[in-house]
Amino acid sequence: MAVSFLGRGFALTRRNLLKVPKRHGYIVLLPEIGEESSEKNPLLKDDNLPEFNTLTIEKCTAAIGKQTVDFEEKMKSLEKIVETTKEIDVFNDWLHPIEDVYLPLETTWGIAKTLYFSNQSLMPTKCYVGIHERATRAAASKFGSAPLFKACKEALDNKDMKWTHSQRRVLTKYVLEGTLNGLQLESKELEKYMDDLRYIMSKIKEYKPKYESSTAVYSMTIHNKQVVEDFPEDCLKSIAMDPRQPYTGPWTINLKPYILQPFMEYCPDRELRAKVWDADVTRCSNYQERSVQASVTLEELRAKRIEQAKRLGFKNYAEMSMETKMAGTLENLYNTMEILRNTAFSAQKQEIANLTEFAKERDFNDVIRVWDIAFWGRKQRHMHNCDENKWRDYFPLPTVLSGLFEHIETLFNVKIVENKKADIWHKDVRFFDIFDLNGSGAAPIANFYLDPYARGTEKFRKEQNSGWVSTIKSKSKIGNSTPLIALIFNFPPPMGDKPSLLSFRDVQVLFQKFGHALQHLLTTVEYSDIAGLSFVEWDAVFICDFFMENWLYETSMLQKISEHYETKQPLPEEAIESIKRMRLHLAGYKLCKELYLSHLDLELHSSEIFWVAMMKRLWPKYFVLPLEKRDVHVCNFEAIWSGNWAAAYFSKVWSEMIAADLYTAFQEVKSDVSQQKELGARFRDTFLSLGGSYPAAEVFRKFRGRDPSPQALLDNLGLTRAAKETK
């Protein structure tokens, strides 16, 4: 897909919300009113913030309708000017006007997205999809304009032009995106390329309903209370026929991730686990009824993607994907993955042996199968006091937030202050200003909303522990715009005098999403096209997420963000140690699983071999357990078939690896407070400030002084030591 592959260009731009997804006294200072006033956007108040108190679907739809038309007409008018004018100043005459007219559209799109994730009654899926698709089509025209592509390419190639570094980077983005959209092709070839794209889109549209139907059709009802007696209460509420009586039953199991995952962990009935596992891995396969079978569709889709890449001069789609990745080349990526796999696989052998022994000591008299891993893995963790729900009483949300904000403020020299004058879409939502303590300005440099609590079906939910970062405004000097985002979570709400109590997994999600948000909020780049997470390579976009999460395994951090909500006692030492161990549990197996899916994705998009043979060949390289006969998980690998991550699934592992290397720099000087602050300032000046204004590999070298190494990730997960012990 031109727009989607490029990506991020727009349809997939980082602004789109990343799961798991963007980047915390009392002073009240309202943001300065910029040019993007309510005259430009009817959804904004005079203080330039969204008017959430009076927002409706109709207002959002009307605004996006007008703004998309305005944007498309602006693009057409600029193209006509270029065709009739010999000398064009590509920035003042073209790129600046485009940014100025695009920003209101981005804001309305972001407001609609925020409501979609946080209030499904106010912004139902069908309504948001309409807004999203309309905005996507309009935004795509930025990188689908042949005259603009030509102008940017000529400007970039002109050695006499003295562009600033940021300007050169903006031009580079437009040229890369245009190239990957086929704009450098001759007319006949371009026509064929556009046919490729239309075919690919048709196959994605063909696959998506098959996947959704195959997922939705499965349901299993449980009447036996013994099956669910160990399930956590929040899980029981999700599966109970009557959520108000979670312990009464009956309970319904489906294949939604936030139900499937805890079911596989807590269900003691092995036959039921095997049934649900089978339903999961056979989705969209030939084991299902013909209407949802997708094997032929996905073969046609991957073949056309490879053909599309070849038309642009690449060997295959995976090679084309590397154009927008920090990894750089497939060779470098495969070499790095093999280093990780080699150590992780050695550790996995011992992990599975230990798990088997553990299960047999508890009267399990069979061979461990794939559907047993989650259940016995949880049991094994609990035996070592590694129960992420056990320590909830020590993680009240106010305490966790206070510790997180203090850490961010200390490390990056900012101040986070609540502002109670902003409109909000629910009484639980809070609004914050961020002030830069490095500067002299009195106005906040960025703002964010925080919507922390679950609200039944009102909020969008996908995985068991989900959080969302929705970009409402990007930083832009042209539009006089400062960053504004919404952080949306599904944490347990307070009950009476009891505050919201977080599981450790909740705490992980909170830290990850704030890491993601910081990269958007603290950017200093002045063009929105390269500010924050815009034009950051796909495999670098989660670096700050994992960087922030890494701090959670430091004793000092766990002490800072925890205390018993009633007794105010500190988190026990045994809890701190168990949390550290929890990270290491089955780490080899989990890493191998991610590496396997990453390798599978890359081969599916670089080879024309039928996927069944490919799957059977790769599986034993990554797993100790054999591939089950009915396991055809390729058919429901939704992330790469319709979820925008084709030939990019490895991005999460790559980001985690880079984050581990960056965090190691702080570990090396953790006893020296002044050096920690110095590193914090350098991290802010590089990864949080520079956005997409430099390639991620160059940003890494600015911080670390060398190229990245996979060793830090292996050390963080305890795999280096585990592999040595195995040998």
Side-chain angles (χ1 to χ4, degrees), residues 72-98 145 147-148 151:
E72 289 165 342
E73 288 182 348
K74 185 68 172 180
M75 288 297 299
K76 290 176 183 176
S77 68
L78 289 172
E79 287 181 347
K80 287 179 181 177
I81 292 172
V82 170
E83 289 170 358
T84 57
T85 307
K86 286 188 176 181
E87 294 201 11
I88 289 288
D89 182 329
V90 72
F91 277 91
N92 289 325
D93 295 340
W94 201 325
L95 295 178
H96 289 175
I98 288 175
S145 168
L148 178 55

Side-chain angles (χ1 to χ4, degrees), residues 347 351 381 386 553 577-590 713-719 721-722:
E351 290 169 353
R381 283 200 314 274
C386 296
Y553 304 97
E577 292 307 310
S578 76
I579 285 170
K580 292 179 180 179
R581 285 196 301 271
M582 187 164 62
R583 185 188 203 185
L584 312 181
H585 185 254
L586 292 180
Y589 172 81
K590 292 173 184 174
L713 178 59
L714 295 171
D715 292 344
N716 266 11
L717 299 176
L719 295 175
R721 185 180 67 252

Side-chain angles (χ1 to χ4, degrees), residues 227-240 243 246-247 251 258-259 261-267 378 381-382 387-390 392 461 464-465 492 503 506:
V227 172
V228 300
E229 61 184 359
D230 288 338
F231 283 46
E233 184 176 346
D234 60 340
C235 177
L236 289 176
K237 287 180 179 178
S238 297
I239 62 176
Y247 296 96
W251 302 269
Y258 66 90
I259 289 179
Q261 182 183 336
F263 175 82
M264 296 303 289
E265 289 185 10
Y266 287 93
C267 176
R378 178 189 63 83
R381 283 200 314 274
H382 287 196
D387 180 359
E388 65 186 44
N389 290 297
K390 185 176 181 180
R392 277 184 185 270
R461 190 175 184 188
Q464 186 181 6
N465 306 92
S503 68
D506 290 332

Side-chain angles (χ1 to χ4, degrees), residues 106-318:
E106 179 197 50
T107 297
T108 299
W109 193 359
I111 289 170
K113 189 187 311 172
T114 298
L115 292 177
Y116 168 63
F117 282 116
S118 63
N119 192 332
Q120 294 262 294
S121 57
L122 188 57
M123 183 61 68
T125 299
K126 185 177 180 180
C127 296
Y128 174 70
V129 167
I131 290 172
H132 177 77
E133 289 181 348
R134 185 66 190 93
T136 298
R137 286 198 304 274
S141 62
K142 285 178 71 172
F143 304 113
S145 168
L148 178 55
F149 168 73
K150 182 182 177 184
C152 288
K153 193 170 189 314
E154 288 175 352
L156 190 61
D157 293 340
N158 189 340
K159 305 300 181 185
D160 296 328
M161 298 301 295
K162 305 298 182 185
W163 305 117
T164 66
H165 175 81
S166 289
Q167 287 176 326
R168 187 166 292 279
R169 188 67 174 161
V170 170
L171 292 171
T172 298
K173 176 176 182 174
Y174 273 83
V175 171
L176 175 61
E177 300 279 16
T179 299
L180 294 175
N181 269 312
L183 297 182
Q184 85 285 14
L185 298 175
E186 295 298 328
S187 57
K188 286 187 177 180
E189 280 300 303
L190 178 58
E191 191 176 325
K192 291 176 183 177
Y193 186 79
M194 297 310 294
D195 287 341
D196 289 346
L197 295 180
R198 283 187 283 271
Y199 183 88
I200 287 169
M201 289 304 299
S202 72
K203 289 301 167 184
I204 290 173
K205 288 183 177 180
E206 187 179 307
Y207 174 82
K208 200 168 182 68
K210 289 175 184 283
Y211 175 81
E212 291 173 348
S213 297
S214 188
T215 300
V217 73
Y218 183 81
S219 177
M220 179 176 71
T221 302
I222 297 173
H223 297 276
N224 185 350
K225 288 187 178 182
Q226 291 182 323
V227 172
V228 300
E229 61 184 359
D230 288 338
F231 283 46
E233 184 176 346
D234 60 340
C235 177
L236 289 176
K237 287 180 179 178
S238 297
I239 62 176
M241 291 282 194
D242 183 355
R244 295 168 299 180
Q245 301 182 59
Y247 296 96
T248 302
W251 302 269
T252 302
I253 307 302
N254 58 43
L255 300 181
K256 292 178 181 177
Y258 66 90
I259 289 179
L260 176 65
Q261 182 183 336
F263 175 82
M264 296 303 289
E265 289 185 10
Y266 287 93
C267 176
D269 188 318
R270 194 182 189 214
E271 288 188 11
L272 290 183
R273 291 202 308 273
K275 283 182 180 178
V276 173
W277 171 87
D278 184 82
D280 179 38
V281 299
T282 58
R283 279 181 293 167
C284 299
S285 73
N286 291 347
Y287 291 114
Q288 305 286 296
E289 63 179 61
R290 185 175 294 276
S291 64
V292 297
Q293 291 177 10
S295 179
V296 173
T297 301
L298 65 89
E299 281 295 291
E300 292 169 337
L301 175 55
R302 59 184 280 245
K304 185 58 72 173
R305 281 174 172 165
I306 292 173
E307 184 181 334
Q308 169 203 20
K310 287 180 177 178
R311 208 177 292 282
L312 290 182
F314 297 96
K315 290 180 182 177
N316 51 59
Y317 191 86

Side-chain angles (χ1 to χ4, degrees), residues 14 18 23 516 533 536-543 545 655:
R14 264 353 141 228
L18 300 166
R23 323 267 183 209
H516 200 79
L533 286 155
V536 172
E537 292 90 335
W538 290 49
D539 51 349
V541 79
F542 299 119
I543 289 174
D545 305 48
S655 286

Side-chain angles (χ1 to χ4, degrees), residues 388 463 465 503-510 512 549 582:
E388 65 186 44
E463 297 185 348
N465 306 92
S503 68
F504 185 70
R505 179 59 189 144
D506 290 332
V507 178
Q508 287 176 308
V509 170
L510 182 69
Q512 286 177 358
E549 185 194 342
M582 187 164 62

